[in-house]
């Protein structure tokens, strides 16, 4: 039975991989950037400040950019509605353009509620939905493939480099 499930997952992944997302068409002007601004390999990450797997993935991303200057992560927000504080936290982080606030939040530190006029969160949520993203974290790899979940460092590096 486990084998059937694995094969089904594998064929779903192959189907999903055929449907590439043009990463160049994703607006990243308001994204938080982890890594070098002009890095040759860009990964767009949809995150939720109250998602524990997003916090795990964030640590993995930090490990990768510490070793690799050619990789950067563009962080966009996709607060899930069952995380009651995720929307205001996302908005506060975007209003302050603050990676530190996001990281403090992932470390369970309190962050300041900030208001500003921004459509960034709503636009980002609509964009994620248009790609068929329903959960976080979700990554769009440099080659346009979509992956979801907290991916371990070696696997994520291989995916970014197109080895997987």
């Amino acid at each position: 039975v486990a084998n059937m499930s694995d094969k089904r997952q594998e064929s779903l992944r192959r189907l999903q991989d055929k449907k590439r997302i043009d990463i160049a068409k994703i607006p990243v002007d308001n994204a938080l950037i982890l890594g070098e601004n002009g890095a040759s390999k860009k990964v767009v990450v949809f995150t939720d400040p109250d998602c524990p797997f997003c916090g795990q993935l964030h640590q993995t991303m930090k490990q990768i950019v510490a070793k690799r200057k050619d990789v950067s992560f563009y962080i966009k927000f996709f607060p899930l509605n069952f995380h009651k504080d995720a929307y205001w936290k996302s908005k506060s982080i975007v209003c302050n353009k603050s990676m530190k606030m996001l990281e403090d939040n992932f470390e369970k530190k309190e962050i300041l509620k900030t208001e500003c006029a921004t459509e960034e969160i709503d636009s980002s949520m609509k964009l994620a939905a248009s790609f068929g993203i329903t959960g976080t974290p979700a990554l769009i790899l440099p080659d346009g493939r979509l992956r979801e979940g907290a991916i371990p460092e070696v696997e994520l590096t291989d995916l970014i480099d197109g080895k997987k």
Side-chain angles (χ1 to χ4, degrees):
V1 178
N3 230 357
M4 285 294 277
S5 172
D6 290 348
K7 287 204 182 314
R8 197 169 149 261
Q9 285 294 94
E10 202 175 296
S11 62
L12 280 173
R13 166 91 14 103
R14 275 200 301 272
L15 273 174
Q16 192 180 35
D17 283 353
K18 284 182 183 159
K19 190 181 79 184
R20 303 283 167 117
I21 297 164
D22 185 351
I23 201 161
K25 290 189 173 141
I26 299 174
V28 290
D29 299 348
N30 292 325
L32 292 181
I33 301 172
L34 183 60
E36 300 287 317
N37 197 343
S40 60
K41 296 180 181 186
K42 295 179 173 74
V43 180
V44 175
V45 179
F46 288 90
T47 196
D48 173 322
D50 286 345
C51 153
F53 298 107
C54 297
Q56 275 179 0
L57 179 68
H58 193 82
Q59 289 308 313
T60 302
M61 293 172 1
K62 284 173 70 169
Q63 291 166 341
I64 292 172
V65 299
K67 297 173 189 162
R68 301 270 305 262
K69 297 295 172 220
D70 64 329
V71 177
S72 60
F73 295 93
Y74 289 78
I75 300 169
K76 297 190 70 72
F77 290 90
F78 185 53
L80 302 172
N81 47 14
F82 56 85
H83 291 146
K84 66 179 179 60
D85 294 327
Y87 188 87
W88 76 257
K89 287 179 179 180
S90 298
K91 194 169 181 181
S92 296
I93 293 163
V94 166
C95 287
N96 289 287
K97 294 180 174 26
S98 175
M99 184 70 76
K100 182 175 178 357
M101 280 178 80
L102 177 61
E103 291 178 353
D104 282 352
N105 183 75
F106 281 145
E107 292 167 14
K108 306 283 182 250
K109 294 177 186 167
E110 214 170 292
I111 63 168
L112 205 60
K113 191 170 190 170
T114 311
E115 281 298 323
C116 70
T118 180
E119 295 297 312
E120 176 61 22
I121 307 304
D122 295 331
S123 300
S124 185
M125 291 168 71
K126 283 186 189 109
L127 184 66
S130 77
F131 296 143
I133 295 170
T134 56
T136 55
L139 304 94
I140 300 169
L141 299 164
D143 63 7
R145 290 180 296 165
L146 174 65
R147 287 290 182 272
E148 293 184 347
I151 303 168
E153 183 182 353
V154 173
E155 185 182 341
L156 182 53
T157 302
D158 284 349
L159 284 165
I160 291 168
D161 290 338
K163 293 177 184 168
K164 272 194 142 184

